[in-house]
Amino acid sequence: MDNDAKRWLQFFVVAALMMVAFNYLQPKRPLPATSKQRTVAQQTSATGDKTTSATQPTELSAATDQSKLPKPERLTPPEPVDDPAQDVVVETDICKVTFTTSGAYPTRWQIVDPKFARASQSDVEEHQKLTGRLDMKVGDPLPIEIIPNYSGLDKTRDYPLMVVLKETNGRYLDDFNRRTYQVSGLTSSTLATTANIVVNAETGAREVTFVSPESSEGLQLTKTYTFTPGSYLVQMRVTIANIRKNSPQNIDFSEPSQPGLGLMWGPGIGSTHYADATDASAYDVTAYNGTDISYKEFSSWEKVRSKGEAQEQDFSGSYKWAGIESRFYMSAIIPQTGAAPQVNARIKRQHIPNSATYTEKMAPPLTAEIYSAGFTLRPGDSKTLDYQVFVGPKKRDLLTDLDKKTNFDLSKVMFHNSYSLIRWLALFMLKLLSWFHAMTGNYGVAIILLTITMRLITQPFTHIAMKGQAKLTAEQNRVKPLIDAINEKYADDPQKKQAETWKTYREHGVNPLGAMKGCIWMLIQLPIFFALYRLLQMAIDLRGEHFLWIKDLTAPDALFSWSMSYALPFIGNKFNILPILMALSQMVAQQLQSSNIQDPNQKMMMKIMPIMFIFILYNFAAGLSLYWFVSNLWQITFQILMNKRVKEEAERKAHRAFEERRLAAEKGVPFPGKRPGAASATPGSWRDKVVAYIEAKAKEAQAQAEAQQKKKK
């Protein structure tokens, strides 16, 4: 060991000995008093209490027997002792919310509005699974649970309307979510249902205020919730105060990614698990900036627990509101004291149960956090933030009525993750669906009428596509003997075969790209069908609505079921007849269409696709299957009525054009020929472009064939 190493070793040994000696000789200082102890001391001082402290040392006489004194106990820092947590229940005609005084947040949020609080098919199945009883039916009164009760989560889980406070130095102040708050008029002997909740005599609004104990930093938080009868909006006021007026310390909340005071909703919303396959893509965190909605869907979130890392997405800007949405419900926290500069979307590790079986088809435990602008609290200062909180169904009429009164634009959430055209069409068709329901009183009949209406609107496009397909088929049938002869004659010469084929098409006016024209007319209809699909997937209007044997149009139609012990792959334990009827009708419709199709591979594909649809759509909502089945029936009826007529007309036109071109060729009339009295094509029209394309292809093929012949020679 060299001299430098020895000197460093000696230095570290001496420094360590000095630190041990310093700590041993340092006099013991009293532990700092907790906020509760400080409050007691202040009260004692104010009342002039002269009682000696239990921990204050007393003088011992010389005659005192030291051996009889109890051995001194080791002092430990006293933990803050709060009153036991209690529940506070606030109920209106719209909702019933249960708060806990431990954190002043809701642990249950139930929608009791009779227009929506009804059992769905998934509720009935869950009730039968848990209780083994068959005493619940679809449509029975049943409160809707908005806060999911995930199984297997520990005490560190979050709840809606918890606060997020992070000092600029990066330290979280989580005490306000765990300490017991005081409620005006609520004592340890007061039952939750009889708590002294302030009721406004004029409006009937119910108000409850929670006040936190002082935190170790000298902060105090107050939460006030106001519920108005007949409204899904809840007013919330949060006040944070630095109550140590004599303290020189300022407390700053200006962390860039989590500024000011954050308010969260999560984890999740509504049911803990998917009701059916269409639910999977319906969960996301949404944030509205006054113009557009930003949203985040998390994929593969089940791996968060195994990886030990949270999934998150931060939105920076200026947001009017943010929250979580599911297929039928949404929550939105709406700041009233300035726009929110930051919104965070998260899936946290502690919100995912360990059980892989439980997480199968589990709804994602999303959390949305919305933050105020940063601020600093000087001693004696306070900061008050006002919010409106919407928790309710995504019913368009309900949301648009609120928008007219508040200008919150909550209705923007409807079909927000669709393209603008599809969203506009879906909203338009939702109005039609509501109108048909008002007229008939049944949503199943309304879906049928809506489907027929949409088919009538798109029928001209379908008819044009059918005529184009029939025309192409008739023309190809006319030249088929010629093409077969070319294929046989030039079987060993692909270039020559191609050249002669294009030449034959040109001479007889056959457009090989005619099938593309029919596809274009079909593509025009796709936005309408996509919009109708989105509508029937997301409309809460269909929840719990029956039709014929269908108990719930938002669930599979389940004609009957059997034990889960005998569940079948892709099918489960239910016999859903609508997807089967839909597939059979699709096969019939495509069989009628394939009569004009000559390609055997295309015919085979058209037969296989309906069978695949059975397994793909087997567990989809009955409303979607009903729409598809009725649409197929319409297509079959129209195809039968029009097939013969369209086919005969196309063959007649193809025969006439064939003969005219043959006579024109004999008389030496240049291509494409012209009937007496017929107007010539407009220069530069699409017909001229197609003719030019065919001639160019024919010349190209002819040149390739000639070059190949020269090469052989």
Side-chain angles (χ1 to χ4, degrees), residues 75-237:
L75 295 177
T76 57
E79 296 291 335
V81 180
D82 292 342
D83 295 330
Q86 298 182 21
D87 287 341
V88 178
V89 179
V90 182
E91 186 170 4
T92 68
D93 57 338
I94 296 297
C95 61
K96 180 179 179 181
V97 182
T98 302
F99 293 93
T100 177
T101 57
S102 177
Y105 51 76
T107 56
R108 293 187 73 181
W109 197 300
Q110 298 172 296
I111 295 177
V112 297
D113 185 351
K115 293 192 295 291
F116 302 101
R118 298 174 297 167
S120 65
Q121 181 64 31
S122 59
D123 294 326
V124 173
E125 293 173 0
E126 185 69 16
H127 174 75
Q128 294 176 0
K129 181 180 177 181
L130 294 176
T131 66
R133 300 197 306 267
L134 304 175
D135 55 349
M136 181 184 289
K137 297 183 297 183
V138 174
D140 286 351
L142 182 69
I144 298 170
E145 297 285 352
I146 294 297
I147 299 178
N149 184 22
Y150 293 108
S151 176
L153 301 188
D154 54 33
K155 294 181 179 180
T156 62
R157 67 157 290 178
D158 294 331
Y159 278 93
L161 304 183
M162 280 185 168
V163 296
V164 184
L165 281 168
K166 189 176 184 181
E167 288 189 82
T168 305
N169 60 17
R171 186 165 63 98
Y172 283 98
L173 308 182
D174 197 43
D175 288 352
F176 294 121
N177 295 324
R178 309 299 173 189
R179 300 289 301 276
T180 300
Y181 286 59
Q182 295 297 318
V183 184
S184 176
L186 182 64
T187 64
S188 59
S189 60
T190 306
L191 296 176
T193 54
T194 60
N196 185 18
I197 298 171
V198 179
V199 179
N200 188 302
E202 295 181 1
T203 64
R206 287 155 171 78
E207 181 179 289
V208 59
T209 300
F210 299 88
V211 182
S212 77
E214 181 184 350
S215 71
S216 57
E217 296 79 16
L219 299 177
Q220 188 175 60
L221 192 74
T222 302
K223 290 183 178 181
T224 300
Y225 301 90
T226 304
F227 294 78
T228 303
S231 176
Y232 279 91
L233 288 174
V234 177
Q235 299 177 26
M236 182 179 181
R237 170 167 290 185

Side-chain angles (χ1 to χ4, degrees), residues 66 123 252 287 445 574 597:
Q66 300 290 335
D123 294 326
D252 185 61
V445 178
K574 301 174 186 174
I597 297 176

Side-chain angles (χ1 to χ4, degrees), residues 532-551:
L532 195 55
Y533 170 84
R534 293 287 290 161
L535 165 64
L536 298 177
Q537 177 194 24
M538 305 296 291
I540 192 175
D541 310 67
L542 306 180
R543 184 181 181 272
E545 295 291 336
H546 65 88
F547 176 66
L548 298 178
W549 72 89
I550 304 171
K551 299 176 183 178

